[in-house]
Amino acid sequence: MINFENAIEIQNLTKKYDGFLLDAINFHVPKGSIMGFIGQNGAGKTTTIKALLNIIKFDTGKINILGMDSIQNEIEIKKQIAVVFDELPFQDIFNAKQIARILCDVFPEWNNQVYENYLERFQLPKKKKIGQFSKGMKMKLQIATALSHNAKLLIMDEATTGLDPVVRNEILDIFLEYLQDENHSIFMSSHITSDLEKIADSVTFIDKGKILISGYKDEILEQHGMMKCSKKDYQQIDKNDMISARLTDFGAEIMIADKIAMQKKYAGLLLEPTSLEEIMLFYVNRSKKEWS
């Protein structure tokens, strides 16, 4: 049953390549929110996004976007979404003004005044060929086009990778403004977890084609914790209580997924807050259990 409160719903999505399997993944993106899609390079983020956009055919599963079937309603969906990739999809010979003329014929709700406002805000020249733009300018141009046709959903694939912190912060602020309209949603794949920690409402971790965690960011951060102890104390810890442990010359750092229960069970040990980056790192190493 379709939940119209979700901007994206993915159910049992499977795609098999030689050497890679997107393994029956499930998650949803609540409407009016930003979801961070987190994972290492090669984890399955881009494959998932390509399946969302019907760029690749998936083997099994179902995808609903804005309450519509992603395959049956592909044309209608693509009128109402915007996509930003890490590489500019426009040819270098065009300038910003020419791109507007092209896109006004593509999107029924293209708003040239909004586009011009973004060009001015981002200090992007209208007549300079985009082949002469820096990486940051190209990304700003993509975002300007993405936000100028009244899109209800913004899908981003590693869009802030390679940008300097000043440009990244400027772009993140734009996203938060976009979310002021509760009908707008963002699905943002990235391995820059610090960006997602700033702005995401929820996060989904993917590794080797499997979803490890999906839920509200604050709840995930609240539930998880970093336990630090000596090597001697580490020997007393039940391995089933931890995601994985990083061993050092001085002791052990242990990622745990139930902070309240572990505080009671191991009352004498130091338990600290953690970050999305640390959570991702310790989950990625979960099969080793111990690593350094």
Side-chain angles (χ1 to χ4, degrees):
M1 186 175 181
I2 298 169
N3 185 339
F4 291 99
E5 293 305 307
N6 292 327
I8 297 173
E9 289 184 359
I10 293 181
Q11 300 170 10
N12 297 316
L13 179 66
T14 301
K15 174 66 179 178
K16 188 171 186 178
Y17 290 109
D18 184 22
F20 179 79
L21 173 65
L22 194 65
D23 193 5
I25 66 170
N26 292 273
F27 66 87
H28 64 274
V29 179
K31 188 183 290 184
S33 73
I34 300 178
M35 171 171 277
F37 194 36
I38 303 175
Q40 301 181 98
N41 291 332
K45 301 190 302 297
T46 298
T47 300
T48 303
I49 287 175
K50 285 182 176 178
L52 269 175
L53 299 173
N54 209 22
I55 294 172
I56 59 169
K57 304 298 180 187
F58 47 90
D59 300 328
T60 60
K62 186 173 179 59
I63 300 174
N64 287 310
I65 301 174
L66 302 175
M68 296 177 279
D69 183 277
S70 66
I71 297 173
Q72 294 177 12
N73 305 105
E74 180 180 5
I75 294 174
E76 183 57 34
I77 287 169
K78 287 185 175 176
K79 290 177 183 176
Q80 298 184 46
I81 68 174
V83 184
V84 178
F85 293 106
D86 62 340
E87 293 292 337
L88 193 68
F90 311 120
Q91 290 193 15
D92 287 349
I93 58 171
F94 293 120
N95 61 38
K97 209 167 182 65
Q98 290 168 326
I99 286 169
R101 286 202 290 270
I102 295 167
L103 294 182
C104 71
D105 292 328
V106 174
F107 296 109
E109 294 193 51
W110 178 263
N111 188 321
N112 210 57
Q113 187 57 57
V114 171
Y115 179 66
E116 297 265 349
N117 290 344
Y118 275 118
L119 293 182
E120 189 172 328
R121 179 172 179 175
F122 288 146
Q123 297 181 311
L124 296 174
K126 297 177 186 177
K127 297 183 179 179
K128 185 177 182 178
K129 289 184 178 180
I130 59 178
Q132 299 173 308
F133 281 18
S134 68
K135 183 175 177 64
M137 291 169 71
K138 287 179 178 179
M139 185 52 61
K140 287 178 178 180
L141 179 63
Q142 267 207 87
I143 290 165
T145 59
L147 299 179
S148 296
H149 61 91
N150 195 28
K152 294 183 175 66
L153 171 64
L154 181 57
I155 297 174
M156 311 189 60
D157 188 17
E158 298 287 2
T160 56
T161 300
L163 301 180
D164 68 66
V166 174
V167 174
R168 290 214 321 269
N169 279 327
E170 188 178 359
I171 289 170
L172 296 180
D173 285 343
I174 294 284
F175 294 160
L176 291 174
E177 287 177 20
Y178 172 75
L179 260 290
Q180 294 302 307
D181 185 328
E182 61 187 22
N183 290 313
H184 290 167
S185 312
I186 297 177
F187 180 60
M188 181 177 175
S189 116
S190 180
H191 62 270
I192 305 176
T193 52
S194 58
D195 286 351
L196 300 177
E197 209 151 307
K198 287 178 187 174
I199 66 168
D201 300 297
S202 57
V203 292
T204 294
F205 287 83
I206 187 169
D207 183 52
K208 297 184 179 70
K210 294 179 181 289
I211 301 298
L212 303 183
I213 318 172
S214 188
Y216 287 105
K217 177 194 70 182
D218 290 347
E219 289 181 4
I220 289 170
L221 289 172
E222 183 61 34
Q223 290 163 358
H224 288 75
M226 185 73 78
M227 188 182 290
K228 296 184 178 181
C229 64
S230 67
K231 287 185 176 180
K232 182 181 177 182
D233 286 334
Y234 174 66
Q235 299 306 319
Q236 309 306 313
I237 293 174
D238 186 341
K239 303 300 184 285
N240 293 321
D241 288 337
M242 64 190 199
I243 307 302
S244 70
R246 177 165 52 194
L247 305 184
T248 69
D249 293 339
F250 307 102
E253 296 176 327
I254 306 154
M255 179 64 65
I256 52 96
D258 188 342
K259 201 189 301 183
I260 294 173
M262 293 305 102
Q263 279 175 327
K264 292 177 181 176
K265 187 170 181 178
Y266 304 105
L269 298 183
L270 179 64
L271 190 55
E272 297 181 348
T274 188
S275 65
L276 293 179
E277 182 172 1
E278 286 182 328
I279 292 171
M280 181 176 77
L281 183 61
F282 279 76
Y283 268 95
V284 165
N285 284 286
R286 70 198 180 284
S287 59
K288 301 176 192 174
K289 215 62 175 177
E290 296 177 354
W291 51 285
S292 57

